[in-house]
Amino acid sequence: MAFVQIDNLQKTYAGGFAALKGVSLEIGEGEILALLGPNGAGKTTLISVLCGLVSPSGGQARIGGHDIVEAYRAARRLVGLVPQEIALEPFTKVIDAVRFSRGLFGLSRDEAKIENILKRLSLWDKRHARITQLSGGMKRRVLIAKALAHEPRVLFLDEPTAGVDVELRRDMWQIVAELKADGVTIILTTHYIEEAEAIADRIGVINKGALLLVEDKAALMARMGRKELYISLRKPVATVPQALAGYGLELADDGATLVYSYDTSGEATGITALLADLAGAGLKLADLKTRQSSLEDIFVGLTRETSAEDAA
Amino acid sequence: MNWSAIWTIYTAEMTRFFRTFVQSFISPVISTSLYFVVFGTAIGSRIQQVEGVSYAAFIVPGLIMLSVMTQSISNASFGIYFPKFTGTIFELLSAPVNFFEIVLGYVGAAATKALFIGLVILATASVFIELQIAHPLAMMAFLVLTCLSFALFGFIIGIWAGNFEQLQLIPLLVLTPLIFLGGAFYSISMLPAVWQTVSLFNPVVYLISGFRWAFYGAADVPIGLSLLAIAGFTGACLLTIGWIFKSGYRLKP
Ligand SMILES: Nc1ncnc2c1ncn2[C@@H]1O[C@H](COP(=O)(O)OP(=O)(O)OP(=O)(O)O)[C@@H](O)[C@H]1O
Ligand SMILES: [Mg+2]
């Protein structure tokens, strides 16, 4: 059964703006879902509704089987949230801020647990520093520590790596992997496609308040991923030879390279035939190279499609 | 009940109070002493007894009430406004707590601070004059109830306020005049008949009168009415807060 179950969730803000237009989604226990989408797509709104920061205008959602409105206590006990904006009390000490989160969720004091979290986030040396004395990246670590302090079963990370250095991003990915190993469900939003590619099991693309697709990362890449074969020639050609017209080749590098696009999931790629025909046409190869289109290409393609539909 | 959450909020709020403990302690001592120098000694020596006690003694209950009411409001309104301002309120709203627990934590802490300051003033006053307290239990009950109800009121202001100016607005525009005209420094019976009637519409009159009764056994209005007034005020504040959390007013879009 799905651990997080979202059913036709809608949110229309007071001004009449529809930020979520009926989102349905199921996320399994221990799964990592990455939500991709441009600015204003509704990612934060979706997370905010699920965490109780924004009241839904329609639809339902359950976390661990508990309705987020009717059984908010049971639902929220399972949830940790790392918000997009850094929000911390400026004059508290790091360790007190983390203890506060634990107490607020009704858990007993556990100094060993808190020490472990602070050490994992490289905050242990700073535990007695006040929030105002921390750098931006450290503040983000404190936010993560606070969310982990109450041992969530579902963790929402709203752009956790925006504005953090490479090291923290690596740490983050490491922590996400460890949490996943503990069976924690993770939903993260990001603008970094390589991040989604690196850590997610499934990927959702959201734009203008609607979920465009949710798919297994590997399946998505395979289904939509196209590969390109770059063929470098010993001698440039002015036009694609007539004998090769059927392959839809494109010229690049002033005729020094031929580009062949093919579908990796197709029955046959057509490469063998192409290479034979190249030789037949008298062309000599200097080098071969392939490139797989990334999630980024898929993502840009999808969101552009919806924008184009809107315009039409 | 999530007792752990209530205690967590309460102690976090109290920690902030203790960070500025010296100021919190010194400023009421100084201001009370000033009141005694000015009203008790300089002016009070020219005023005859009021309701059977010296003027300096007469103003003590009013003085305590004045501080306790303004302190309760400013502590509680700031206490809940600050997380709204810094954005840390997200954590409260996403935690497994209900409104009653949040209110208990914030209002409890604000009332505790105000109570502490009220007692400091009482102690300072006893240095200047010989205090008599006719009904000590009733005095404490009135003090605690006033701290709680005005902290509830302050909590509402803190939620309503959209900026720091609004946070100051109600205490400044509404409360200060109500307290000064509420008989803190005089007996209502000293006023002309018309103003006595007008005063009866000022809720603060009932609180100060009741509190003074606990000290000296004399009151401007019947003590039962005073109790009713404070109970009614507390009830109204609780209802408003209940509605705020149910509707998400100024808390949830
Ligand atoms: N409180 C609010 N009142 C009215 N409109 C809002 C409110 N919060 C968000 N919106 C609108 O809802 C839309 C979705 O916002 P949201 O913050 O969910 O986007 P997002 O996908 O998180 O974007 P980003 O990548 O920039 O963080 C935006 O158009 C935004 O202007
Ligand atoms: Mg966002």
Side-chain angles (χ1 to χ4, degrees):
Chain A
M1 203 198 73
F3 200 66
V4 179
Q5 193 161 14
I6 305 168
D7 191 10
N8 193 26
L9 206 60
Q10 296 158 32
K11 177 62 195 178
T12 304
Y13 282 111
F17 182 81
L20 290 181
K21 302 168 184 162
V23 171
S24 298
L25 180 59
E26 289 193 351
I27 304 150
E29 188 159 17
E31 190 174 38
I32 302 180
L33 176 87
L35 272 177
L36 292 170
N39 288 137
K43 304 182 293 294
T44 300
T45 301
L46 178 61
I47 289 180
S48 299
V49 171
L50 293 174
C51 292
L53 307 182
V54 167
S55 324
S57 322
Q60 283 109 37
R62 291 171 168 276
I63 293 174
H66 310 288
D67 188 280
I68 57 161
V69 177
E70 248 102 74
Y72 68 93
R73 249 191 224 269
R76 287 184 202 167
R77 249 183 242 289
L78 303 171
V79 173
L81 167 63
V82 179
Q84 183 172 3
E85 308 276 345
I86 290 175
L88 291 163
E89 283 233 16
F91 304 112
T92 21
K93 290 182 181 161
V94 169
I95 193 158
D96 289 334
V98 178
R99 285 183 186 137
F100 180 87
S101 304
R102 199 174 160 82
L104 197 61
F105 275 69
L107 297 173
S108 57
R109 277 182 83 135
D110 185 344
E111 293 302 303
K113 173 100 198 168
I114 285 175
E115 179 177 341
N116 176 280
I117 290 171
L118 288 177
K119 281 187 171 157
R120 261 208 297 187
L121 285 156
S122 317
L123 282 171
W124 185 242
D125 295 340
K126 294 276 181 188
R127 65 190 180 281
H128 295 307
R130 300 202 184 279
I131 300 297
T132 44
Q133 299 164 335
L134 300 182
S135 75
M138 290 175 189
K139 286 181 192 157
R140 196 164 283 283
R141 288 171 201 247
V142 175
L143 278 179
I144 298 166
K146 278 168 76 72
L148 295 182
H150 49 80
E151 303 170 28
R153 298 307 299 162
V154 183
L155 186 62
F156 290 95
L157 299 164
D158 199 352
E159 297 191 31
T161 52
V164 307
D165 64 10
V166 181
E167 199 185 337
L168 175 52
R169 193 173 302 178
R170 286 281 139 72
D171 286 356
M172 274 282 322
W173 293 3
Q174 180 60 37
I175 288 168
V176 165
E178 287 169 23
L179 289 170
K180 182 186 163 66
D182 288 343
V184 177
T185 308
I186 294 163
I187 292 136
L188 72 121
T189 73
T190 179
H191 287 284
Y192 301 110
I193 286 148
E194 68 269 24
E195 186 160 280
E197 246 178 299
I199 59 179
D201 300 319
R202 275 203 305 164
I203 290 173
V205 178
I206 183 170
N207 194 23
K208 297 186 157 73
L211 208 56
L212 301 183
L213 72 86
V214 194
E215 239 183 78
D216 232 57
K217 180 179 64 183
L220 182 67
M221 307 272 295
R223 182 167 69 82
M224 306 210 35
R226 291 187 63 77
K227 264 193 148 176
E228 283 167 342
L229 175 67
Y230 290 80
I231 306 157
S232 305
L233 302 174
R234 286 209 186 278
K235 270 193 224 130
V237 293
T239 54
V240 177
Q242 197 57 43
L244 303 173
Y247 293 100
L249 296 176
E250 281 172 43
L251 283 178
D253 294 342
D254 290 327
T257 306
L258 293 171
V259 185
Y260 172 60
S261 304
Y262 60 97
D263 199 337
T264 46
S265 61
E267 295 258 300
T269 57
I271 294 176
T272 322
L274 171 65
L275 292 182
D277 285 349
L278 276 172
L283 297 176
K284 291 231 160 32
L285 309 188
D287 196 8
L288 286 177
K289 185 176 76 180
T290 64
R291 191 183 89 88
Q292 178 146 32
S293 64
S294 68
L295 257 179
E296 184 142 11
D297 305 328
I298 298 170
F299 172 68
V300 170
L302 263 175
T303 49
R304 195 180 289 146
E305 260 171 48
T306 46
S307 302
E309 278 167 25
D310 277 4
Chain B
M1 281 291 258
N2 187 343
W3 291 106
S4 153
I6 301 170
W7 180 245
T8 301
I9 296 172
Y10 182 85
T11 48
E13 284 297 292
M14 292 308 284
T15 306
R16 198 164 59 213
F17 178 58
F18 287 122
R19 259 206 306 270
T20 54
F21 184 74
V22 177
Q23 287 116 286
S24 313
F25 182 76
I26 297 286
S27 70
V29 171
I30 291 179
S31 63
T32 313
S33 306
L34 285 176
Y35 268 107
F36 274 106
V37 172
V38 175
F39 288 106
T41 323
I43 298 175
S45 60
R46 291 160 193 253
I47 300 178
Q48 47 187 245
Q49 290 204 329
V50 184
E51 289 173 357
V53 292
S54 74
Y55 185 66
F58 177 83
I59 63 169
V60 171
L63 212 52
I64 295 175
M65 276 294 186
L66 174 71
S67 296
V68 155
M69 289 174 182
T70 45
Q71 284 288 333
S72 300
I73 290 192
S74 68
N75 289 336
S77 61
F78 187 77
I80 190 67
Y81 178 75
F82 196 56
K84 268 193 354 176
F85 179 72
T86 57
T88 50
I89 191 138
F90 88 84
E91 205 177 12
L92 287 176
L93 295 177
S94 63
V97 292
N98 66 14
F99 92 89
F100 190 61
E101 291 153 357
I102 296 181
V103 169
L104 269 186
Y106 278 101
V107 168
T112 308
K113 296 177 209 173
L115 183 66
F116 170 80
I117 286 165
L119 294 176
V120 168
I121 295 174
L122 190 64
T124 312
S126 69
V127 172
F128 286 87
I129 52 160
E130 205 169 307
L131 272 178
Q132 49 179 107
I133 304 174
H135 310 283
L137 268 183
M139 191 278 291
M140 269 317 278
F142 250 103
L143 196 58
V144 170
L145 270 178
T146 307
C147 289
L148 277 176
S149 59
F150 277 75
L152 283 172
F153 185 53
F155 189 88
I156 298 172
I157 294 175
I159 290 205
W160 165 81
N163 52 49
F164 279 102
E165 283 74 36
Q166 289 181 344
L167 203 59
Q168 309 285 354
L169 202 67
I170 303 248
L172 209 67
L173 281 187
V174 183
L175 198 74
T176 311
L178 281 185
I179 293 175
F180 271 88
L181 302 176
F185 300 112
Y186 57 88
S187 166
I188 301 297
S189 60
M190 292 168 159
L191 294 174
V194 180
W195 288 105
Q196 287 195 24
T197 313
V198 171
S199 293
L200 294 181
F201 291 97
N202 179 354
V204 176
V205 164
Y206 297 86
L207 304 184
I208 293 182
S209 164
F211 194 49
R212 190 176 288 130
W213 169 85
F215 276 80
Y216 306 124
D220 288 335
V221 293
I223 180 70
L225 264 184
S226 294
L227 283 174
L228 208 66
I230 195 154
F233 183 59
T234 311
C237 289
L238 275 177
L239 283 179
T240 311
I241 292 176
W243 171 80
I244 284 174
F245 277 87
K246 205 156 241 154
S247 66
Y249 174 76
R250 299 252 165 140
L251 285 178
K252 286 188 197 185

